[in-house]
Amino acid sequence: MNRTATSESATPKRAEPKALPDHVAIIMDGNGRWATQRGLPRIAGHKRGINSVRKITRHAKASGVKYLTLFAFSTENWLRPKEEVHGLFDLFRYYMRRECRTLAREGVRIKFIGDPSEMPEDIQSMMTEAEAMTASGEAMTLIVALNYGSRAEIVAATQRLATRVAAGEMAAGEITDTAISAELNTSGFPDPDLIIRTSGEQRLSNFLLWQAAYSEFLFVDCHWPEFDELAFDDAITLYRDRDRRFGGLRKSG
Ligand code: IPE
Ligand code: IPE
Ligand code: MG
């Protein structure tokens, strides 16, 4: 018997740490409830939520995450009272004025997804400027979903593809998985590895429906204003423990 070979094969394999998520997407939920529970107006919760945005952006970058997507305003959020919508836009203006330069300095590239055409014009200009000002950032891409709705995004992509087919520029058979992905707002970004939703709700609310095909989901109970670096680290630890199979079989070991 070859003892050396036996003892070698019996040596337990060193556990390989599982990969960090390249792309983390967050449904920042629970600002209103956070405020209401404290007897404050809902807008106070949104204001507090900005602190979490700052903290998590910095921390995600330091953790080695390459893409961070934050769901800031959905196509359905227009259903809220006008005062709340305007309050949210004012906070967005405040955030952009204060943060853009810092993000540029820190190597964070900002990109927006969603339909900007329905946003107030000054905000549209701020979005364009922020993308231009941070374009060379290589440390992390911060994708802000503003007036974003996944179904609207898919409908618009489908219409563009159909127009091309009707014009004879492409064949119907050329509408592939890749062709559809390329028409979405997220074209050029990897699909999210991990989607986190705060506040205990367990739904996507029209967020990244196509892109989430193989994302891992994590629903955490705390409200967005309470979501901090520690909570982010916990989420990453739980993610690294998941077994992603993509329809194949479990990796051995
Ligand atoms: C998330 O917090 C922020 C936005 C949707 C803009 P909510 O405002 O949805 O807070 P809850 O869910 O009402 O507590
Ligand atoms: C999703 O939260 C949108 C954002 C976080 C921007 P909502 O609070 O709007 O979602 P529902 O209405 O509870 O599904
Ligand atoms: Mg909500």
Side-chain angles (χ1 to χ4, degrees), residues 56-77:
I56 297 305
T57 303
R58 207 147 292 149
H59 189 61
K61 191 194 86 167
S63 307
V65 166
K66 288 292 169 199
Y67 296 84
L68 175 69
T69 297
L70 299 177
F71 199 6
F73 190 82
S74 79
T75 46
E76 289 75 35
N77 287 147

Side-chain angles (χ1 to χ4, degrees), residues 81-129:
K82 227 174 38 219
E83 304 72 55
E84 179 163 345
V85 172
H86 288 165
L88 280 165
F89 291 170
D90 278 345
L91 284 174
F92 181 74
R93 292 181 177 100
Y94 165 82
Y95 168 82
M96 295 297 280
R97 273 190 215 108
R98 287 187 48 146
E99 288 302 295
C100 271
R101 235 176 288 277
T102 315
L103 292 171
R105 204 172 45 236
E106 291 178 353
V108 177
R109 173 173 72 138
I110 303 185
K111 287 285 190 181
F112 291 94
I113 57 172
D115 180 3
S117 71
E118 291 170 333
M119 298 299 289
E121 273 179 24
D122 68 308
I123 291 193
Q124 291 184 39
S125 308
M126 280 180 156
M127 292 162 74
T128 314
E129 272 169 40

